[in-house]
């Protein structure tokens, strides 16, 4: 069994501040939007039409936590980010705004 341990350089304080400013700006984009409520309404509508697939669940990312996940993934410039089940699009916007993906796509499967 081979174990690889990767040591990554800690970000400078200025990078942390820039990331926090980005999170604040992205959060403001979603002020007043009840994505959980929109999801509940869409589920109700689809069930009434007989088209809802049980087992689908809406959830949202935390900008700071998801940023850390993408940072650990170390995306390369020019790669493409795809979020299947994108919901309100928070992960897609974060990926596009904070990383150098060539493209960021979100596909919502309940719409």
């Amino acid at each position: 069994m081979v174990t690889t341990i990767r040591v990554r350089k800690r970000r400078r304080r200025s990078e942390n501040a820039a990331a926090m400013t980005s999170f604040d700006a992205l959060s403001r984009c979603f002020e007043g939007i009840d994505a959980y409520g929109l999801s509940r309404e869409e589920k109700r509508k689809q069930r009434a039409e007989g088209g809802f697939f049980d087992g689908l669940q809406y959830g949202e990312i935390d900008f700071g936590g998801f940023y850390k996940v993408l940072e650990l993934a170390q995306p390369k410039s020019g790669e493409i980010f795809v979020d299947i089940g994108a919901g309100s699009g928070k992960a897609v916007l974060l990926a596009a705004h904070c990383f150098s993906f060539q493209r960021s796509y979100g596909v919502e499967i309940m719409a």
Side-chain angles (χ1 to χ4, degrees):
M1 182 171 138
V2 176
T3 303
T4 303
I5 299 173
R6 207 171 10 163
V7 178
R8 65 185 177 92
K9 188 173 80 174
R10 293 184 63 97
R11 291 190 307 166
R12 295 185 307 258
R13 223 179 268 273
S14 61
E15 291 172 334
N16 286 332
M20 292 307 296
T21 300
S22 293
F23 302 157
D24 291 341
L26 289 169
S27 294
R28 282 194 297 276
C29 293
F30 290 90
E31 284 179 358
I33 296 174
D34 178 12
Y36 283 99
L38 293 171
S39 176
R40 280 190 300 277
E41 181 59 28
E42 186 61 27
K43 281 183 186 180
R44 186 199 59 72
K45 179 180 152 191
Q46 288 182 9
R47 280 191 177 114
E49 296 170 355
F52 179 73
F53 297 106
D54 283 325
L56 296 177
Q57 183 63 41
Y58 180 78
E60 291 190 351
I61 65 154
D62 168 73
F63 285 124
F66 196 68
Y67 181 90
K68 289 177 185 175
V69 168
L70 287 178
E71 189 177 50
L72 288 171
Q74 298 179 347
K76 309 283 185 291
S77 181
E79 290 183 329
I80 296 172
F81 177 86
V82 179
D83 183 8
I84 306 296
S88 61
K90 287 182 174 183
V92 177
L93 290 174
L94 176 76
H97 185 69
C98 295
F99 293 89
S100 58
F101 287 104
Q102 179 182 356
R103 299 261 190 278
S104 293
Y105 295 102
V107 180
E108 177 48 48
I109 56 180
M110 287 188 57

